[in-house]
């Protein structure tokens, strides 16, 4: 008799997220041979996909994604992560590619990711008339990010931005965060328009948990 999939199994009264995760694990055992022969997205449960994404990203990005889930979902995916032994690199690549196509790349893009972009792409998001906002954003960024932006701009734009940085004076951290968020959203908009590409979310080549 065929076993019901996690999506088909009715939720039992009082069933906890941990119990549902354990039940999902039991269903997945029947597909282990398929994964060993070559995983496809359809053979990986949604819960395992979520767990793979979270353990594949830097902790700060994983924490950001968890804020979009309700408490019950966080409990379920946390338990799934706890019982995972190892993520096969091929399986990881399949899952990340699927989630990148669903908007993970856009969601996880942050201001510091400018460091991993081409100079041409950095220039595409820079407007000379808002150098003050850029200066405020860079004032709260790491030195390598400041060097990256200044090095990507042409000489006159870099000099103007450097002057704004030097004349910035005291500033609040919250103002810096707002400026970074505004510039980050500009790059996301350019990505949506197809003007530039955003770097993949930072991950690990091989994941052991």
């Amino acid at each position: 008799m065929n076993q019901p999939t996690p999506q088909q199994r009715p939720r039992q009264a009082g069933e906890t997220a941990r119990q549902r995760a354990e039940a999902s694990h039991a269903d997945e055992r029947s597909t282990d041979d398929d994964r060993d022969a070559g995983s496809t997205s359809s053979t990986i449960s949604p819960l395992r996909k979520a767990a793979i994404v979270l353990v594949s990203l830097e902790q700060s990005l994983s924490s950001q994604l968890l804020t979009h889930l309700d408490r019950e979902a966080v409990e379920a995916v946390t338990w799934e992560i706890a019982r995972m032994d190892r993520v096969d690199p091929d399986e990881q690549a399949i899952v990340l590619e699927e989630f990148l196509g669903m908007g993970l790349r856009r969601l996880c893009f942050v201001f510091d990711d400018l460091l991993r972009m081409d100079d041409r792409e950095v220039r595409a998001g820079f407007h000379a008339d808002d150098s003050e906002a850029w200066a405020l954003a860079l004032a709260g960024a790491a030195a390598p990010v400041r060097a990256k932006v200044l090095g990507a701009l042409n000489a006159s734009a870099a000099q103007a931005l450097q002057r704004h940085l030097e004349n910035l004076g005291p500033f609040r951290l919250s103002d810096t965060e707002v400026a970074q968020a505004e510039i980050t959203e500009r790059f996301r908009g350019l990505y949506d328009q197809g003007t530039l590409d955003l770097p993949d979310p930072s991950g690990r080549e091989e994941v052991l948990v």
Side-chain angles (χ1 to χ4, degrees):
M1 179 180 297
N2 293 330
Q3 294 296 320
T5 66
Q7 292 84 357
Q8 294 170 331
R9 181 186 295 106
R11 178 176 294 186
Q12 301 298 322
E15 185 181 22
T16 67
R18 175 170 176 168
Q19 289 171 331
R20 286 194 294 278
E22 290 174 334
S24 175
H25 180 38
D27 287 328
E28 288 170 12
R29 282 198 293 266
S30 65
T31 66
D32 284 345
D33 291 340
D34 293 336
R35 276 204 292 266
D36 291 340
S39 297
T40 63
S41 180
S42 61
T43 66
I44 307 171
S45 74
L47 185 59
R48 183 174 176 83
K49 288 180 182 180
I52 289 173
V53 169
L54 290 173
V55 300
S56 298
L57 301 176
E58 293 178 350
Q59 185 175 358
S60 60
L61 295 180
S62 296
S63 299
Q64 178 186 353
L65 290 178
L66 284 173
T67 63
H68 295 273
L69 304 178
D70 59 33
R71 179 178 178 181
E72 187 177 10
V74 170
E75 181 183 348
V77 75
T78 301
W79 173 245
E80 177 72 8
I81 291 173
R83 71 168 187 77
M84 290 171 66
D85 295 323
R86 181 180 182 276
V87 178
D88 180 82
D90 292 336
E91 183 182 32
Q92 182 187 24
I94 289 171
V95 172
L96 288 179
E97 184 62 30
E98 177 182 349
F99 275 72
L100 288 174
M102 295 169 59
L104 180 64
R105 179 182 282 108
R106 187 189 198 283
L107 175 65
C108 292
F109 179 75
V110 295
F111 187 78
D112 285 352
D113 285 330
L114 293 174
L115 189 61
R116 301 192 290 135
M117 298 181 70
D118 293 340
D119 289 353
R120 176 190 61 82
E121 294 174 327
V122 174
R123 288 194 296 271
F126 179 82
H127 297 164
D129 57 357
D130 59 5
S131 293
E132 186 173 349
W134 271 91
L136 190 56
L138 290 176
V145 179
R146 293 197 296 271
K148 170 66 176 182
V149 172
L150 291 170
L153 303 179
N154 60 49
S156 61
Q159 290 172 2
L161 181 54
Q162 184 64 52
R163 285 195 298 270
H164 278 288
L165 274 167
E166 294 170 354
N167 299 326
L168 192 58
F171 60 88
R172 293 178 297 182
L173 180 60
S174 58
D175 292 336
T176 294
E177 292 172 344
V178 169
Q180 290 183 354
E182 291 175 350
I183 292 172
T184 296
E185 191 58 34
R186 177 183 302 167
F187 278 92
R188 288 172 177 163
L190 292 173
Y191 168 74
D192 293 340
Q193 298 168 18
T195 303
L196 52 77
D197 197 14
L198 298 177
D200 288 349
S202 299
R204 296 187 284 265
E205 293 298 323
E206 184 175 358
V207 178
L208 299 175
V209 294

Coordinates of all heavy atoms in Angstrom, one line a residue, residues 111 136-137 140 171-184:
F111 N 23.5 45.3 1.6 CA 24.5 46.4 1.2 C 25.9 45.9 1.0 O 26.6 46.2 0.1 CB 24.4 47.6 2.1 CG 25.2 48.8 1.7 CD1 24.7 49.6 0.7 CD2 26.4 49.0 2.2 CE1 25.4 50.7 0.3 CE2 27.1 50.2 1.8 CZ 26.6 51.0 0.8
L136 N 26.6 58.4 3.7 CA 26.0 58.0 4.9 C 26.0 56.4 5.0 O 26.3 55.8 6.1 CB 24.6 58.5 5.1 CG 23.9 58.4 6.5 CD1 24.7 59.0 7.6 CD2 22.5 59.0 6.4
A137 N 25.6 55.8 3.9 CA 25.6 54.3 3.8 C 27.0 53.7 4.0 O 27.2 52.8 4.8 CB 25.0 53.9 2.5
G140 N 28.8 53.6 7.6 CA 28.5 52.5 8.5 C 28.9 51.1 7.9 O 28.6 50.1 8.6
F171 N 26.8 61.1 13.0 CA 25.6 60.5 12.4 C 25.1 59.4 13.3 O 25.9 58.8 14.1 CB 25.9 60.0 11.0 CG 26.9 58.9 10.9 CD1 26.6 57.6 11.1 CD2 28.3 59.2 10.8 CE1 27.6 56.6 11.1 CE2 29.3 58.2 10.7 CZ 28.9 56.9 10.9
R172 N 23.8 59.1 13.2 CA 23.2 58.0 13.9 C 23.3 56.7 13.1 O 23.1 56.7 11.9 CB 21.8 58.4 14.2 CG 21.6 59.5 15.2 CD 20.1 59.8 15.4 NE 19.5 60.3 14.2 CZ 18.2 60.6 14.1 NH1 17.4 60.6 15.2 NH2 17.6 61.0 13.0
L173 N 23.5 55.6 13.8 CA 23.5 54.3 13.2 C 22.2 54.0 12.4 O 22.3 53.5 11.3 CB 23.8 53.2 14.2 CG 23.9 51.8 13.7 CD1 25.0 51.7 12.6 CD2 24.1 50.8 14.8
S174 N 21.1 54.5 13.0 CA 19.8 54.2 12.3 C 19.8 54.9 11.0 O 19.2 54.4 10.0 CB 18.7 54.6 13.2 OG 18.8 56.0 13.5
D175 N 20.3 56.1 10.9 CA 20.3 56.8 9.6 C 21.2 56.1 8.6 O 20.8 56.0 7.4 CB 20.9 58.2 9.8 CG 20.0 59.1 10.6 OD1 18.7 58.8 10.7 OD2 20.4 60.1 11.2
T176 N 22.3 55.5 9.0 CA 23.1 54.7 8.1 C 22.4 53.5 7.6 O 22.4 53.2 6.4 CB 24.4 54.3 8.9 OG1 25.2 55.4 9.2 CG2 25.2 53.3 8.0
E177 N 21.7 52.8 8.5 CA 20.9 51.6 8.1 C 19.8 52.0 7.1 O 19.6 51.2 6.2 CB 20.3 51.0 9.4 CG 21.4 50.4 10.3 CD 20.8 49.9 11.6 OE1 19.6 50.3 11.9 OE2 21.5 49.1 12.3
V178 N 19.2 53.1 7.3 CA 18.1 53.6 6.4 C 18.7 53.8 5.0 O 18.2 53.4 4.0 CB 17.4 54.8 6.9 CG1 16.5 55.4 5.8 CG2 16.6 54.5 8.1
A179 N 19.9 54.5 5.0 CA 20.6 54.8 3.7 C 21.0 53.5 3.0 O 20.8 53.4 1.8 CB 21.8 55.7 3.9
Q180 N 21.5 52.6 3.7 CA 21.9 51.3 3.1 C 20.7 50.6 2.6 O 20.8 50.0 1.5 CB 22.6 50.4 4.2 CG 24.0 50.9 4.6 CD 24.7 50.0 5.6 OE1 24.1 49.1 6.1 NE2 26.0 50.3 5.8
A181 N 19.6 50.6 3.3 CA 18.4 49.9 2.9 C 17.8 50.5 1.6 O 17.4 49.8 0.7 CB 17.3 49.9 3.9
E182 N 17.9 51.8 1.5 CA 17.4 52.5 0.3 C 18.3 52.2 -0.9 O 17.7 51.9 -2.0 CB 17.4 54.0 0.5 CG 16.4 54.5 1.5 CD 16.5 56.0 1.8 OE1 17.5 56.6 1.3 OE2 15.6 56.5 2.4
I183 N 19.6 52.2 -0.8 CA 20.5 51.8 -1.9 C 20.3 50.4 -2.2 O 20.4 50.0 -3.4 CB 21.9 52.2 -1.5 CG1 22.0 53.7 -1.4 CG2 22.9 51.7 -2.5 CD1 23.4 54.2 -0.9
T184 N 20.2 49.5 -1.2 CA 20.0 48.1 -1.5 C 18.8 47.9 -2.3 O 18.8 47.1 -3.3 CB 19.9 47.3 -0.2 OG1 21.2 47.4 0.5 CG2 19.6 45.8 -0.4

